[in-house]
Amino acid sequence: MITSKWRFVGVKMFVVYFVSMTVSIMIMGYLSYHKAQEIIQLNAGRVALQTVQQANKRLEMILEEYENRSFYIFTYKDLQDGILGGFRDNYERTKNTEQINKFLSSFANIKNDTANVFVFGERTASYHYSLTSSPTFTMMSPAEEGQRGQAWYKQIKEADGKPVWFGIRPSFMPGKHASGEKRPVFCYGRALKDIWGNGEMIGVLLVEIDPGEIQQILSEVDFQAQGRSIIVDRYNNVVAEAGEGSIAHVFPLRLSGTELNGIRNARLYGEKTVVVYERMAIAGWKLIGMAPARELVKDSDEIRVYTFYVAVCFTIVAVVLALVIARQMHRPVQMLLQSMRRAKEGDFETQIASRRKDEFGILFDSFNLMVTRIKSLINELYVQRLLKKENQLKMLASQINAHFIYNTLDSIHWISRIYKVDDISTMIFGLSNYLRISLSEGRDTVTVREAALLVESYLSVQKVRYQDKFEASMEVDDELLDKQVLKFVYQPLVENAIYHGIENKKGKGRLAIRWARKGDLLSFEVEDDGVGIAPERLRQIKEALENDDFTEEEHFALKNINSQIKLAYGEQYGLELESGPGGGTKVTLVFPFA
């Protein structure tokens, strides 16, 4: 029973509507949610980028201030004198050292963030100032070869006086710290030149800054989404990071070195991450902010829930609509099926009572008309069968009578020949031939040869009757002689031509009969030169031929012939009339040659 329900159009339409609408709603909801998530993530990324840009400006101001501080040391003449030496006595050296101590103390206490200042001289002396709980100043010997050979020392010298930034890292001089602390510091340095002399390089400045301010700025770039921020150099090495995170490692994501800023989506540290970055104004560094994508789009969870409930509501609406539409389609189909079953069982009185104006209304009207026509045809066929049986009985009786009449006429013919009564002999012979061919063993069709003999037999009788009233000629194409045609449609046309055309004419008339093939058509033409037909009368006759109503006795013979041709060969065949007052009449019977 369940399987049989799938045969119904309504069930199929419900399933199709439900599935298509539900799938469409689900896809639309899914795409809408992901589009909203994408927009939220993009907007969050833009906000994050603005945050990174603001932090970058603050960091650049700090680094610019660090660079400006180093100018004081770079241009301090007493410090250069202390590095170069050449004092006249020890008092002068001591006085110079005191001045350097005061200067470095002032330098370190400008913002109270300097941890260590190292001045490595390459001539006479080096200096170290440490700002701890107990600030210390130390005068040291010139830079040793071991120090000069270290990478950071060479890097500073190769910069030729420009600042070299090392970022947050462990101190390059851990053994020189007064307290022995090993926590990271922000390092930068620059080469010192003899600007009061020949400009040659005389030493190296190395400054260690407490990284707290930089780390504080980096920690603020968290997008309120459990993010983190770092600074990487041109080689993608991490040079600064908020908190106590690991430093001096390679950042796993390679960013474009030509773009000023950007937003990237990447999988970092095992999860999908939104990365925003901006290039800094120093040394090719980049400030990078990172946040888990799930944190940036967590607000979209509300959209997801809302989208889910909207999809559920629309799905319910889709189900209701599908049921309504399926019902609207199922009910008329069921009405039609029930009526068709009744018609199939023989109830041709069934009618679908509906006032619908749509396609189903047209279908119902067509069904009602079809059933009515079927009923009419069945009744007509039933009557025809009764008439046919009656005609068959009559034919049996008429055959017996006709054979008796035929034999009797044949005897009269020979008696009239014996007594040499030619007119009686001719009429009796023509009539007997006419009867013989008409019988044709009960067949409805004859050959053209037999049909022509039938017409000739009829004309022979009429010629005796009318004496010299008309002349008749008949032409038959040889290729038509064996063609099978209807039997009783030709003689009535000849009879009409004689009675209605020639009989009412003054003087002798002419009758021309032709059997001819015209392409794919076979035509039988009867043309007379009689009184003709008036235009109004001709119009009435043509209208009568187009009308299949046989209740009117007028023009019955012509309508009967025309109907027989159409029934036998098709609606496009039949009679054609041409006539005019006093101009004779031409009747053409057309049917297919095949």
Side-chain angles (χ1 to χ4, degrees):
M1 185 65 179
I2 296 177
T3 305
S4 63
K5 289 183 178 180
W6 288 99
R7 297 184 291 114
F8 297 128
V9 175
V11 176
K12 293 179 180 179
M13 290 193 65
F14 170 76
V15 173
V16 170
Y17 273 102
F18 173 73
V19 172
S20 60
M21 295 180 73
T22 303
V23 171
S24 299
I25 290 170
M26 292 176 63
I27 293 175
M28 181 180 66
Y30 176 81
L31 294 177
S32 299
Y33 167 70
H34 276 270
K35 187 62 178 179
Q37 188 180 48
E38 182 181 335
I39 293 173
I40 292 173
Q41 182 173 320
L42 180 61
N43 291 335
R46 289 174 179 170
V47 173
L49 180 59
Q50 292 177 355
T51 304
V52 168
Q53 290 173 337
Q54 293 174 358
N56 184 36
K57 291 179 181 178
R58 294 171 62 189
L59 289 171
E60 288 179 347
M61 290 175 62
I62 292 174
L63 296 180
E64 184 178 359
E65 194 240 337
Y66 289 167
E67 183 178 357
N68 291 336
R69 287 193 210 177
S70 67
F71 274 113
Y72 295 125
I73 297 177
F74 193 81
T75 59
Y76 187 55
K77 187 174 185 308
D78 288 341
L79 181 60
Q80 292 197 359
D81 291 341
I83 294 173
L84 294 173
F87 300 105
R88 291 190 298 269
D89 50 35
N90 192 42
Y91 173 78
E92 189 174 343
R93 173 180 291 279
T94 301
K95 192 70 175 175
N96 176 265
T97 301
E98 289 177 359
Q99 293 296 325
I100 294 174
N101 183 13
K102 292 178 181 179
F103 171 77
L104 292 179
S105 175
S106 176
F107 174 84
N109 286 280
I110 291 176
K111 284 189 63 176
N112 201 30
D113 59 355
T114 304
N116 290 282
V117 179
F118 295 96
V119 179
F120 297 100
E122 295 185 353
R123 298 288 183 88
T124 303
S126 299
Y127 304 95
H128 171 218
Y129 187 88
S130 176
L131 186 64
T132 60
S133 56
S134 55
T136 58
F137 172 76
T138 305
M139 179 178 176
M140 303 178 297
S141 59
E144 301 174 353
E145 289 296 327
Q147 289 178 336
R148 296 182 186 185
Q150 292 183 18
W152 61 268
Y153 195 98
K154 291 180 179 180
Q155 190 175 350
I156 292 174
K157 290 189 66 174
E158 290 171 357
D160 195 27
K162 296 179 181 179
V164 178
W165 308 94
F166 297 102
I168 299 175
R169 51 158 296 115
S171 174
F172 288 120
M173 304 295 295
K176 298 295 184 180
H177 288 220
S179 61
E181 294 181 356
K182 296 183 179 180
R183 63 189 185 90
V185 291
F186 182 83
C187 300
Y188 72 97
R190 66 189 305 171
L192 299 176
K193 293 184 179 182
D194 183 10
I195 61 174
W196 307 102
N198 56 12
E200 64 177 335
M201 193 169 299
I202 59 174
V204 167
L205 169 66
L206 179 64
V207 182
E208 295 180 350
I209 305 292
D210 183 356
E213 186 175 11
I214 295 177
Q215 289 177 332
Q216 177 63 31
I217 294 174
L218 293 177
S219 65
E220 293 174 358
V221 187
D222 64 352
F223 319 134
Q224 299 180 351
Q226 301 180 5
R228 53 186 292 228
S229 55
I230 59 174
I231 299 175
V232 298
D233 61 15
R234 68 179 63 189
Y235 304 108
N236 232 39
N237 295 313
V238 178
V239 295
E241 185 173 2
E244 299 298 328
S246 60
I247 56 177
H249 64 273
V250 178
F251 183 60
L253 179 63
R254 174 67 63 176
L255 301 174
S256 173
T258 58
E259 296 179 355
L260 294 177
N261 53 56
I263 303 175
R264 291 275 299 276
N265 292 318
R267 179 164 290 278
L268 296 176
Y269 311 112
E271 65 178 335
K272 189 176 180 181
T273 305
V274 178
V275 180
V276 295
Y277 62 94
E278 179 163 277
R279 190 170 62 183
M280 301 179 68
I282 61 167
W285 284 8
K286 295 185 185 70
L287 175 59
I288 300 174
M290 297 169 286
R294 55 180 171 78
E295 293 294 331
L296 288 178
V297 297
K298 62 182 179 181
D299 292 338
S300 64
D301 291 342
E302 296 182 8
I303 298 177
R304 179 177 58 191
V305 174
Y306 176 76
T307 303
F308 172 77
Y309 284 118
V310 170
V312 170
C313 293
F314 276 104
T315 301
I316 294 173
V317 173
V319 172
V320 174
L321 289 176
L323 286 172
V324 171
I325 294 173
R327 185 176 178 83
Q328 290 296 320
M329 295 295 293
H330 182 66
R331 288 183 62 186
V333 172
Q334 283 295 102
M335 292 174 61
L336 182 61
L337 286 176
Q338 292 172 1
S339 298
M340 291 178 69
R341 289 194 188 101
R342 289 196 292 268
K344 181 180 178 181
E345 292 170 359
D347 180 11
F348 294 104
E349 297 291 338
T350 182
Q351 293 284 299
I352 302 176
S354 176
R355 298 182 179 275
R356 298 177 69 106
K357 301 298 182 181
D358 56 7
E359 290 83 352
F360 281 110
I362 298 173
L363 188 61
F364 292 162
D365 292 341
S366 299
F367 174 80
N368 293 338
L369 179 61
M370 180 188 70
V371 172
T372 303
R373 292 287 299 274
I374 290 175
K375 179 183 176 182
S376 175
L377 290 173
I378 289 176
N379 292 336
E380 184 178 340
L381 181 61
Y382 179 72
V383 172
Q384 286 180 356
R385 284 182 177 177
L386 292 178
L387 293 175
K388 185 175 181 180
K389 289 182 179 180
E390 183 179 353
N391 290 333
Q392 287 176 346
L393 293 175
K394 290 180 178 179
M395 282 184 66
L396 290 174
S398 66
Q399 284 180 1
I400 297 172
N401 295 332
H403 280 290
F404 173 75
I405 294 171
Y406 167 72
N407 292 329
T408 302
L409 291 174
D410 190 57
S411 298
I412 295 173
H413 164 69
W414 287 109
I415 292 172
S416 64
R417 290 287 299 271
I418 292 172
Y419 289 97
K420 298 181 180 181
V421 184
D422 295 334
D423 288 345
I424 296 175
S425 175
T426 301
M427 292 185 70
I428 294 298
F429 181 74
L431 181 58
S432 64
N433 277 341
Y434 184 84
L435 290 174
R436 178 176 57 80
I437 297 171
S438 296
L439 289 175
S440 61
E441 299 178 352
R443 291 182 286 114
D444 292 330
T445 61
V446 293
T447 63
V448 172
R449 178 184 285 105
E450 292 173 325
L453 289 174
L454 186 66
V455 173
E456 285 182 351
S457 297
Y458 173 77
L459 287 174
S460 66
V461 174
Q462 295 291 23
K463 284 181 179 180
V464 173
R465 177 186 174 188
Y466 285 97
Q467 296 299 321
D468 295 328
K469 181 64 177 177
F470 67 89
E471 291 182 356
S473 63
M474 184 165 56
E475 300 177 7
V476 183
D477 290 350
D478 292 338
E479 61 176 325
L480 303 179
L481 292 175
D482 296 322
K483 176 68 178 174
Q484 290 287 329
V485 293
L486 294 177
K487 182 165 54 177
F488 294 112
V489 296
Y490 312 105
Q491 177 266 333
L493 298 180
V494 177
E495 183 177 355
N496 273 355
I498 295 172
Y499 288 161
H500 299 292
I502 296 176
E503 185 175 359
N504 298 324
K505 179 182 178 180
K506 294 180 179 180
K508 191 173 185 178
R510 182 180 59 82
L511 185 65
I513 302 170
R514 288 183 292 274
W515 300 76
R517 177 181 180 181
K518 297 180 179 179
D520 294 332
L521 300 177
L522 191 155
S523 70
F524 173 73
E525 298 177 359
V526 179
E527 185 175 3
D528 65 77
D529 60 352
V531 295
I533 306 173
E536 180 62 23
R537 181 68 173 168
L538 181 63
R539 182 185 64 79
Q540 293 175 359
I541 295 173
K542 289 184 177 181
E543 289 179 356
L545 292 178
E546 294 177 359
N547 185 6
D548 292 334
D549 186 6
F550 286 87
T551 59
E552 298 179 1
E553 295 184 0
E554 191 175 14
H555 317 302
F556 181 82
L558 291 177
K559 288 195 290 185
N560 186 27
I561 294 171
N562 192 51
S563 296
Q564 288 190 56
I565 295 298
K566 290 184 180 295
L567 288 173
Y569 301 110
E571 289 293 327
Q572 65 270 40
Y573 305 105
L575 286 173
E576 298 176 1
L577 276 75
E578 302 176 21
S579 182
T585 302
K586 179 180 178 181
V587 180
T588 305
L589 185 61
V590 178
F591 48 90
F593 176 78

